[in-house]
């Protein structure tokens, strides 16, 4: 099985150089307060919400994710093919380019599902416990011998009819540069016979200029990145759900099948970006 490793990301001094228009300090404090209230409400309501049927739970998850993003001052534009993308149900492996911690609520705003995250996310203040309670599958990148078990867990979730969200680049990139889609986790879709749903995430300002302000790279801490996001004026996230890719037949073999899926999904994402 191919090894899924964190990759070297872009240079922070280059990618974080742009300075967008900023809101006032009182507005930043208001955004932070509203975001914290929304996140805490999610923590409190998660246990009873998990008891609801899938469709009702997904509707509430999409609503909550959009509220959190709105409190941060992020305008979200969702697009997708008919019958798929935002709001679609079923066991599908959702794969996207990775720029920021914001990518997680962005995808949940369109396609709620169980996420795959590095174990360090558990330690994030407030968000860490919430992400864990949401059924996140954690991958220990320092113990790669556990990767086959992680792939098997993801495949089982897909077979049960639930989406799983992964970022196959293995690390965050600034949006101006990108990484290669690692094939290892596509093996879960091969084993489960599940479709792969490629998604493109792009950040820009209200005037159309691309921005790397949400990028979570280099020595960034979560609180530093959060402060940069709430200070930005007119931050827009464009999330495009592309046509799903069916799993390849048995002819390419196990290794060939996952590599083929990874190449096809990355080509689709890069084509839009």
């Amino acid at each position: 099985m191919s090894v899924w490793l964190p990759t070297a990301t872009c240079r922070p001094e280059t990618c974080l150089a742009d300075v967008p228009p900023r809101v006032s300090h009182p507005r930043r404090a208001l955004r932070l307060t509203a975001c914290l209230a929304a996140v805490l409400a999610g923590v409190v309501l998660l246990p009873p919400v998990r008891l609801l049927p899938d469709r009702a739970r997904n509707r509430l998850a999409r609503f909550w994710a959009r509220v959190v993003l709105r409190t941060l001052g992020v305008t979200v534009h969702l697009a997708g093919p008919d019958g798929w993308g935002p709001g679609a149900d079923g066991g599908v492996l959702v794969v996207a380019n990775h720029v920021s911690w914001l990518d997680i609520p962005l995808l949940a705003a369109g396609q709620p599902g169980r996420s795959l995250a590095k174990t360090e996310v558990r330690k994030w203040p407030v968000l860490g416990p919430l992400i864990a309670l949401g059924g996140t599958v954690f991958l220990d990148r320092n113990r790669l011998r556990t990767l086959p078990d992680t792939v098997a867990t993801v495949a089982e979730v897909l077979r049960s009819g639930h989406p799983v969200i992964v970022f196959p680049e293995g690390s965050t990139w600034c949006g101006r540069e990108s990484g290669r889609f690692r094939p290892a986790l596509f093996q879960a879709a091969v084993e489960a016979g599940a479709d792969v749903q490629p998604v493109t995430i792009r950040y820009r300002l209200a005037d159309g200029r691309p921005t790397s302000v949400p990028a979570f790279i280099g020595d960034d801490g979560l609180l530093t990145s959060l402060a940069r996001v709430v200070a930005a004026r007119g931050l827009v996230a464009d999330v495009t759900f592309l046509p799903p890719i069916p799993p390849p037949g048995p002819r390419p073999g196990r290794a060939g099948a996952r590599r083929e899926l990874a190449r096809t999904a990355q080509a689709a994402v890069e084509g839009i970006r």
Side-chain angles (χ1 to χ4, degrees):
M1 175 174 289
S2 299
V3 175
W4 185 82
L5 290 170
T7 57
T9 58
C10 349
R11 295 182 299 275
E13 65 273 14
T14 300
C15 295
L16 299 180
D18 59 304
V19 179
R22 294 179 176 177
V23 299
S24 65
H25 287 282
R27 174 62 65 88
R28 299 178 202 183
L30 181 61
R31 286 178 173 179
L32 284 171
T33 302
C35 178
L36 181 60
V39 170
L40 291 177
V43 173
V44 171
L45 295 175
L46 183 58
V49 167
R50 291 177 68 178
L51 301 176
L52 295 174
D54 286 350
R55 285 187 177 273
R57 185 170 63 247
N58 286 344
R59 282 197 297 270
L60 286 173
R62 287 194 295 271
F63 173 76
W64 176 81
R66 293 173 189 182
V67 168
V68 169
L69 290 163
R70 194 58 189 166
T71 64
L72 294 171
V74 181
T75 300
V76 182
H77 292 164
L78 297 172
D82 292 340
W84 274 89
D89 297 317
V92 59
L93 187 70
V94 181
V95 299
N97 61 298
H98 203 10
V99 179
S100 171
W101 52 271
L102 277 175
D103 300 345
I104 299 172
L106 277 175
L107 291 177
Q111 176 71 73
R114 293 181 63 176
S115 298
L116 181 74
K118 59 185 180 181
T119 52
E120 293 89 335
V121 172
R122 286 181 186 266
K123 301 176 183 178
W124 285 4
V126 184
L127 281 177
L130 181 62
I131 291 170
L133 284 172
T136 296
V137 179
F138 289 99
L139 172 65
D140 189 344
R141 296 191 299 186
N142 296 320
R143 299 175 60 211
L144 289 174
R145 64 178 179 274
T146 65
L147 180 57
D149 291 337
T150 302
V151 171
T153 299
V154 173
E156 185 59 34
V157 175
L158 294 173
R159 290 190 196 98
S160 69
H162 294 91
V164 179
I165 298 168
V166 303
F167 299 101
E169 287 170 308
S171 186
T172 48
W173 292 74
C174 67
R176 296 177 179 174
E177 301 177 29
S178 59
R180 181 174 66 88
F181 277 20
R182 306 280 174 164
L185 291 167
F186 288 87
Q187 182 62 34
V190 174
E191 293 181 2
D195 286 352
V196 172
Q197 171 79 75
V199 183
T200 295
I201 298 173
R202 293 179 292 180
Y203 293 96
R204 60 179 174 86
L205 300 178
D207 61 8
R209 287 181 294 157
T211 181
S212 58
V213 163
F216 190 54
I217 58 177
D219 295 327
D220 258 354
L222 178 61
L223 296 181
T224 301
S225 177
L226 177 62
R228 194 166 57 239
V229 168
V230 299
R233 182 187 300 275
L235 185 58
V236 180
D238 294 318
V239 184
T240 305
F241 288 79
L242 302 168
I245 304 167
R251 190 170 56 182
R254 289 167 59 90
R258 63 176 176 261
R259 285 196 290 266
E260 178 183 327
L261 278 178
R263 284 194 298 266
T264 304
Q266 180 160 15
V269 170
E270 292 293 336
I272 295 296
R273 292 179 66 235

